Amino acid sequence: MTTQRPGQAIWPIARGDVPAVPPGGAPAVAPVPPRSSTPAERSPDAERVPTRPGLRLRLASLGPALAAIAVLAAGAALFRVAWPSDSAPGRASPAPTSSSADHAATAGKAFGQRQAAANRARFQDQAAGEFAEPWLSRVGDCTADSSSGGPRPGAGEASRTRCPAGIVTTYWISYRSIADRDRALARYRQQAESASRLTPDAGSAPDREAAGDVRSTNYVEYAYTVPTGQQAGQVVAAIWYADPLEPVAGVFLAYWTDGLGSSWEPLRDFWRQRD
């Protein structure tokens, strides 16, 4: 019984597949012992080949066939050594080809680059677009023109761009000055004082705990309840994060229960995209 692997030759799978005849040799032929109810003791002369002419002739005719079997057996044994089975100990699995590895490494890059380029073109302020760059491949349908349904700039803001991202909505704000940005920071910090009441664990992001990290001074987690409209009464969790040197900032919003599942971690994870 043999087995075959794709692209490989056939080789024996068990020792029983190899004929037990050494190369160039032939098995001895013993005479048939007389029938006896009592087993006879084995005689040394039993291994000798009879010398009758007719029998020698028959053995001579079998020589080429036996030699061919011996050659095939030797070749099969060598092939088994050269080509071990897949289950042989120490045999490593085939490594992925360079083309498949390259494909896995580059999957999604072309889409992300095109998505980022399309979103970048929607920004009215270049500094705000550059600040939002780490997130632009993950958001879509950015809108900055209030006349076509986009957000209107607030007090002290030069422009405001909205970019949805599934359960999260992002706003990218360009302030008129650093002073306007710092006034906004003060307002969000005041609003953050009640965030833990609405959204437990607010304000404990690991990134804020790093001493001396300039990002911690421009990072605020806050929450509020929607006052009116179709979503009135729902709690919104939010992150406000600003550039320490430029008058630009980003706001990340999501519904606390329906969107985030009552956990800050999904929103924080989205914000960490900056790294």
Side-chain angles (χ1 to χ4, degrees):
M1 179 179 180
T2 58
T3 184
Q4 187 173 10
R5 302 291 187 270
Q8 298 181 3
I10 299 176
W11 67 88
I13 63 172
R15 293 184 182 274
D17 293 331
V18 182
V21 180
V29 178
V32 179
R35 293 178 178 271
S36 174
S37 59
T38 303
E41 185 179 356
R42 188 177 180 84
S43 170
D45 295 335
E47 299 295 337
R48 296 178 182 175
V49 179
T51 57
R52 293 195 299 273
L55 182 57
R56 284 199 298 268
L57 182 60
R58 287 195 297 273
L59 291 175
S61 64
L62 292 175
L66 294 176
I69 294 175
V71 171
L72 291 176
L78 289 175
F79 202 91
R80 181 178 178 83
V81 173
W83 297 92
S85 63
D86 291 340
S87 60
R91 182 178 178 88
S93 301
T97 62
S98 58
S99 59
S100 62
D102 293 342
H103 177 74
T106 58
K109 285 188 176 181
F111 174 82
Q113 291 172 353
R114 182 62 196 129
Q115 181 82 346
N119 289 324
R120 194 181 304 112
R122 302 288 184 88
F123 280 75
Q124 295 179 347
D125 182 84
Q126 182 179 355
E130 292 175 353
F131 181 67
E133 185 67 31
W135 293 271
L136 292 185
S137 64
R138 300 182 63 185
V139 300
D141 196 23
C142 295
T143 307
D145 187 0
S146 58
S147 63
S148 59
R152 290 180 297 179
E157 299 177 359
S159 68
R160 177 179 281 248
T161 304
R162 180 179 61 230
C163 301
I167 62 173
V168 178
T169 299
T170 66
Y171 288 89
W172 306 97
I173 304 168
S174 174
Y175 293 96
R176 298 185 183 278
S177 65
I178 295 291
D180 288 320
R181 185 206 65 191
D182 291 343
R183 279 190 284 269
L185 172 60
R187 290 195 304 269
Y188 286 117
R189 281 180 174 170
Q190 184 177 9
Q191 193 170 358
E193 294 178 359
S194 61
S196 59
R197 179 177 56 83
L198 297 173
T199 57
D201 193 39
S204 61
D207 301 83
R208 297 188 61 194
E209 298 171 1
D213 187 352
V214 69
R215 292 176 299 189
S216 65
T217 63
N218 296 282
Y219 178 99
V220 179
E221 291 181 354
Y222 65 98
Y224 62 91
T225 301
V226 178
T228 59
Q230 188 176 2
Q231 307 297 333
Q234 291 203 41
V235 175
V236 174
I239 293 175
W240 182 89
Y241 176 61
D243 187 303
L245 302 177
E246 297 287 339
V248 293
V251 179
F252 308 83
L253 306 170
Y255 286 109
W256 175 247
T257 302
D258 295 341
L260 301 178
S262 302
S263 172
W264 275 98
E265 191 55 32
L267 192 60
R268 292 168 182 166
D269 182 65
F270 184 83
W271 170 74
R272 292 187 187 103
Q273 178 68 17
R274 77 197 189 286
D275 296 329

